[in-house]
Amino acid sequence: MPDIAALLQEIADVPHSADPAVVRAKSRDMYAISPLLRKALRGREAEAVVSPRDNHELRAVMRWAVRHRIPLTPRGGGTANYGQSVPLAGGAMLDMTGYTGVVAVSDTNVRVRSGTLMGEIDEVLRAHGKELRIHPSTRSDSTIGGFIGGGSGGMGSCRWGMLRDPGNITAIQVMSVEAEPRLEELRGVDTLLVQHAYGTNGVMTELELPLAPAEAWKEAVVAFPDFMDAARFGIAFAAHPDIARKLASVQEWPVPRLMKNLGDIVPEGHSMAMVMVAGRHLAEFRALVAMHGGRVVTCVAEGRGRYGAPLYEFAFGHALRQIQKHQPRTTVLQGMFPPQELEASVARLHDAMRGVGPLRFEIFYSQGQLVGMGSPYVVFESEAQLAGLVDQMQALGMNVANSHTTGVRAVGIKAIDERDAAFKRAMDPHGLLNPGKLGLEEKESAAVTTLATKGWATKRPAA
């Protein structure tokens, strides 16, 4: 490996740093949420950080990396949970947070530069009466490129589906890592080549995404004495054809008390459903709550709750972060409940996990079907403990993705085939982008944990 710090003078016009504290901070994301990744990725760091602000500077970095065969790990806001932006082969962090700006807004789409924060995009869109369809629980810190490149879904998926579902990404422009870098514009199904690929096969420069009408969102917590009543309500809410919705998350007692910021909003012994609903559909929402025997214990404008953060920061990956503030050994798995028997499969897991830990799951659409994703919360003891839990869940008919490993193929959310391999070879012929992460290289095994997960059963849509 060349002396990267010394070679930075060749790209002196591009913001950069070899300061150990800066490099260490930029070499991390939120992987420590997993006890297994905390161990597997310990000490994995780059040797420098480069922060291009435009295509001219990005091309200079690409040429520099190819000239000296320097690995590059693209990074956005650093909010990923799988170590997507942790370098396995040293090299330089490609910090894209200076590569910002809204390029164009139309009635149907927005085009943005990849380092733009998602919250800032929605601020611009509000002036046009529009909003993004889908965003993560880490919206305030996530860049759009990081979310599309490392994420799979989030708020809005209970209405619009996952990022990979048709119509949720219009176009992605990517730059190759070659002596003469190329810009490629991917549209439609071709965007799935780089979606959830962790920046392994091209550097995202611009993204074009479909818009939805801006809503006056309300966030509500609904309490239920019985967990399965909460589950049935959550499923019915997420499937309701006449309610504009953004979040459906169900958490079993005592999770409402484990999330200390919620205080005593939820009555003792009650499970809860956390939802986001358009203000114009509150009447339909309240009728559905009554039908399922629930009680609305709080309903406020988005971000105005007395729990100190938007309600979506208590769902998806953020739910575990809330609990880990006070119980740092708590962990979860990512099990997918089969769509053809969603309620029954939740009930089976709930019965099987009595005494193991409280259940949680989010409800959303995937490939046109309503699904649930979740598991019990458990206090981590060992990898063998998690392996046994994986076996139990899969024996009950669930598909489990490995949220305690790094690498696209190893995690098991994105299907990898020869098209991905060919695109990787074309865009990154020297194998410099995030080496070891796509699942095509033998190096990946160095940071992969060995839970015997089946992964989520996903199919690439036909071109």
Side-chain angles (χ1 to χ4, degrees):
M1 180 73 70
D3 183 351
I4 294 175
L7 294 172
L8 287 172
Q9 61 184 338
E10 296 181 13
I11 50 170
D13 291 340
V14 180
H16 61 267
S17 178
D19 179 278
V22 173
V23 173
R24 187 177 304 113
K26 291 290 187 180
S27 296
R28 297 175 179 171
D29 55 24
M30 302 303 294
Y31 69 84
I33 198 171
S34 161
L36 300 185
L37 284 176
R38 202 177 303 143
K39 178 180 178 181
L41 297 179
R42 184 180 296 130
R44 301 277 185 167
E45 294 181 8
E47 296 159 67
V49 177
V50 292
S51 306
R53 297 162 294 188
D54 54 35
N55 275 357
H56 174 75
E57 292 184 349
L58 183 58
R59 288 180 190 276
V61 171
M62 300 295 101
R63 295 187 184 104
W64 172 78
V66 170
R67 187 160 60 247
H68 300 291
R69 298 298 191 267
I70 296 171
L72 294 172
T73 302
R75 185 185 194 274
T79 59
N81 290 339
Y82 306 142
Q84 289 100 310
S85 55
V86 175
L88 300 184
M93 298 303 300
L94 183 60
D95 172 23
M96 297 297 288
T97 56
Y99 202 97
T100 62
V102 174
V103 177
V105 180
S106 71
D107 286 342
T108 57
N109 286 274
V110 63
R111 191 169 180 99
V112 294
R113 303 178 85 199
S114 61
T116 312
L117 291 173
M118 298 194 67
E120 294 180 359
I121 297 171
D122 266 332
E123 285 182 16
V124 172
L125 292 176
R126 281 278 166 179
H128 297 264
K130 304 290 183 179
E131 65 184 24
L132 294 170
R133 286 183 175 185
I134 305 170
H135 68 79
S137 62
T138 53
R139 175 189 186 181
S140 61
D141 300 315
S142 291
T143 66
I144 186 64
F147 178 48
I148 301 300
S152 55
M155 281 14 84
S157 290
C158 61
R159 186 180 183 189
W160 301 105
M162 300 184 73
L163 289 173
R164 65 169 176 252
D165 287 332
N168 284 333
I169 303 173
T170 304
I172 302 177
Q173 184 187 81
V174 291
M175 185 177 289
S176 66
V177 186
E178 301 176 277
E180 289 302 325
R182 295 173 289 117
L183 284 174
E184 291 281 341
E185 180 90 358
L186 305 174
R187 303 191 74 84
V189 70
D190 288 341
T191 62
L192 300 186
L193 290 165
V194 293
Q195 191 275 316
H196 202 74
Y198 304 0
T200 58
N201 54 8
V203 178
M204 294 187 192
T205 54
E206 292 185 1
L207 302 96
E208 190 172 331
L209 302 167
L211 301 177
E215 297 280 3
W217 292 107
K218 303 292 184 182
E219 51 187 45
V221 177
V222 187
F224 292 86
D226 179 73
F227 170 77
M228 282 308 301
D229 284 340
R232 282 185 279 270
F233 165 78
I235 293 168
F237 174 80
H240 202 294
D242 299 321
I243 296 178
R245 60 215 176 269
K246 197 173 185 180
L247 169 66
S249 176
V250 179
Q251 308 277 342
E252 186 178 13
W253 178 264
V255 174
R257 288 295 182 273
L258 301 180
M259 296 179 176
K260 299 295 186 183
N261 283 24
L262 290 181
D264 60 357
I265 288 175
V266 177
E268 188 78 13
H270 285 56
S271 295
M272 66 178 177
M274 298 183 292
V275 304
M276 294 183 69
V277 55
R280 60 193 172 95
H281 290 147
L282 280 178
E284 294 90 339
F285 159 68
R286 291 186 182 277
L288 192 66
V289 170
M291 186 185 305
H292 286 82
R295 179 161 67 93
V296 178
V297 293
T298 183
C299 183
V300 297
E302 179 181 353
R304 298 296 180 87
R306 61 184 177 91
Y307 27 84
L311 191 61
Y312 56 74
E313 291 192 10
F314 294 81
F316 285 90
H318 244 99
L320 180 56
R321 294 189 198 181
Q322 293 287 350
I323 293 174
Q324 284 187 343
K325 290 177 182 178
H326 305 281
Q327 294 192 358
R329 291 178 56 211
T330 303
T331 193
V332 293
L333 294 172
Q334 283 192 322
M336 184 75 82
F337 295 98
Q340 62 272 19
E341 49 173 3
L342 179 52
E343 181 185 326
S345 63
V346 171
R348 282 198 300 270
L349 184 65
H350 183 241
D351 289 343
M353 293 296 115
R354 292 184 190 275
V356 175
L359 216 59
R360 46 77 60 165
F361 71 109
E362 275 75 40
I363 307 127
F364 51 89
Y365 281 91
S366 175
Q367 297 178 312
Q369 296 181 298
L370 194 67
V371 299
M373 183 273 293
S375 81
Y377 293 98
V378 297
V379 176
F380 176 74
E381 297 172 1
S382 66
E383 186 168 348
Q385 170 208 22
L386 294 185
L389 186 56
V390 167
D391 291 344
Q392 283 183 275
M393 292 171 63
Q394 293 185 157
L396 290 169
M398 299 180 70
N399 290 313
V400 181
N402 190 352
S403 54
H404 297 276
T405 192
T406 192
V408 178
R409 189 190 295 275
V411 170
I413 291 177
K414 178 186 176 76
I416 301 292
D417 60 26
E418 178 52 36
R419 283 195 65 199
D420 300 277
F423 189 74
K424 168 75 171 175
R425 290 191 296 268
M427 298 297 288
D428 182 25
H430 306 290
L432 299 176
L433 278 176
N434 213 352
K437 294 284 182 66
L438 187 56
L440 302 173
E441 315 97 325
E442 291 182 356
K443 291 179 183 178
E444 184 189 53
S445 62
V448 169
T449 57
T450 55
L451 300 179
T453 53
K454 295 179 180 178
W456 293 353
T458 59
K459 299 177 182 178
R460 188 194 302 274

